[in-house]
């Protein structure tokens, strides 16, 4: 992927709660000059998240807003939106952000929030997707990048990638395999957003100006 150095970078905030391996994959893609993206801010709702450590190490702006310091979800989200609105952001990237955002919050940032979810959506929304796929005896698991709408893990699919489930797989091994793919898929999708191949209008995703099918943009990963 080449970058047009005259083009303004896509300005994003990354929201996370934990390890931040997806943040790391995005940082690595930017630093290898593959992504015309500027991470303006990294926000965590957890004080001890390793993702914040990663942000600091790379000299990125970071901020912790702990949910439990607010008496209501509404107050927490108000503080979060005030912070986000103080930046000129094109996109909010959820990367392991473990709080469910309210309809009001999502509506306020409509068409500007994306998420990565470890399943082949619409299968297995919510938690424990690896165990669910193994218990169901599925042939494939996978990961999905989607637009965030008020329905949990239910927004339009931008792109998804399959992972073969092998007989010896456990939750741990399947997690590892799926996350290895996530670390390629999220930068790929962000690259498409940064170079204008993906556009979003009225909660509809377009790729090269054509509406994307229900299963998202095919990829070669
Ligand atoms: C990822 O597997 C993502 O799909 C899910 O949360 C996990 C976050 O992992 N939403 P990390 O914090 O990026 O390592």
């Amino acid at each position: 992927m080449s970058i047009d150095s005259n083009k303004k970078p896509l300005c994003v905030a990354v929201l996370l709660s934990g390890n931040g391996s997806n943040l790391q994959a995005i940082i690595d893609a930017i630093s290898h000059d593959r992504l015309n993206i500027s991470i303006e801010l990294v926000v965590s709702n957890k004080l001890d998240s390793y993702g914040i450590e990663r942000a600091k190490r790379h000299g990125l702006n970071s901020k912790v807003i702990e949910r439990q310091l607010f008496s209501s979800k509404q107050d927490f989200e108000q503080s979060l939106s005030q912070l986000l609105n103080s930046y000129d952001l094109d996109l909010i990237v959820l990367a392991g952000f473990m709080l469910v955002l309210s309809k009001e919050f999502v509506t306020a940032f409509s068409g500007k929030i994306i998420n990565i979810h470890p399943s082949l959506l619409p299968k297995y929304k919510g938690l424990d997707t690896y165990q669910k796929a193994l218990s169901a005896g599925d042939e494939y698991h996978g990961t999905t990048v989607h637009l965030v709408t008020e329905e949990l893990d239910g927004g339009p699919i931008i792109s998804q990638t399959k992972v073969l489930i092998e007989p010896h797989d456990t939750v741990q091994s399947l997690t590892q395999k799926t996350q290895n793919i996530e670390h390629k898929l999220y930068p790929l999708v962000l690259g498409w957003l940064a170079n204008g191949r993906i556009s979003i209008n009225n909660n509809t995703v377009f790729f090269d100006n054509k509406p994307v099918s229900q299963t998202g943009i095919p990829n070669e990963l």
Side-chain angles (χ1 to χ4, degrees):
M1 198 182 299
S2 64
I3 357 180
D4 173 355
S5 54
N6 296 318
K7 203 167 181 256
K8 181 187 168 288
L10 189 79
C11 293
V12 309
V14 178
L15 272 54
L16 50 79
S17 305
N19 181 23
S21 65
N22 280 285
L23 168 69
Q24 188 67 56
I26 298 165
I27 292 172
D28 292 347
I30 294 168
S31 63
H32 293 117
D33 265 0
R34 290 184 289 124
L35 280 186
N36 191 19
I37 286 181
S38 168
I39 301 176
E40 301 290 295
L41 175 69
V42 176
V43 186
S44 174
N45 64 307
K46 295 274 181 201
L47 206 48
D48 57 355
S49 50
Y50 189 56
I52 287 291
E53 193 57 41
R54 294 181 195 265
K56 285 184 178 155
R57 263 193 223 166
H58 290 275
L60 297 172
N61 243 330
S62 64
K63 177 99 179 164
V64 176
I65 307 183
E66 289 180 281
R67 165 68 184 88
Q68 60 267 38
L69 298 184
F70 297 85
S71 54
S72 68
K73 181 172 178 170
Q74 196 184 5
D75 288 352
F76 165 78
E77 288 189 342
Q78 195 180 355
S79 168
L80 180 59
S81 26
Q82 262 169 17
L83 175 68
L84 295 171
N85 280 326
S86 68
Y87 290 81
D88 189 11
L89 298 173
D90 300 306
L91 191 70
I92 296 164
V93 177
L94 306 186
F97 185 67
M98 298 306 286
L99 295 178
V100 177
L101 295 165
S102 70
K103 178 183 171 189
E104 288 71 26
F105 186 96
V106 171
T107 307
F109 293 97
S110 177
K112 277 184 128 186
I113 313 177
I114 63 170
N115 182 41
I116 189 158
H117 179 77
S119 80
L120 293 171
L121 289 172
K123 250 187 170 179
Y124 310 138
K125 296 174 180 174
L127 299 174
D128 302 323
T129 64
Y130 301 105
Q131 188 57 61
K132 286 174 186 163
L134 288 169
S135 304
D138 289 353
E139 194 182 354
Y140 290 100
H141 193 55
T143 188
T144 304
V145 176
H146 66 95
L147 195 60
V148 173
T149 60
E150 60 187 85
E151 190 199 334
L152 179 68
D153 300 325
I157 292 172
I158 299 176
S159 197
Q160 62 183 192
T161 305
K162 282 182 182 170
V163 170
L164 181 67
I165 301 181
E166 293 161 288
H168 59 264
D169 269 325
T170 59
V171 167
Q172 205 184 6
S173 66
L174 192 55
T175 303
Q176 194 55 59
K177 284 201 287 195
T178 306
Q179 289 197 339
N180 289 344
I181 288 290
E182 291 193 328
H183 300 159
K184 297 191 175 95
L185 182 64
Y186 227 177
L188 176 69
V189 168
L190 285 165
W192 285 333
L193 281 154
N195 66 21
R197 292 194 74 185
I198 293 180
S199 57
I200 295 163
N201 197 350
N202 260 334
N203 274 347
T204 304
V205 181
F206 295 83
F207 188 61
D208 292 341
N209 298 317
K210 293 185 198 81
V212 162
S213 78
Q214 276 190 355
T215 50
I217 303 158
N219 65 70
E220 305 280 306
L221 299 177

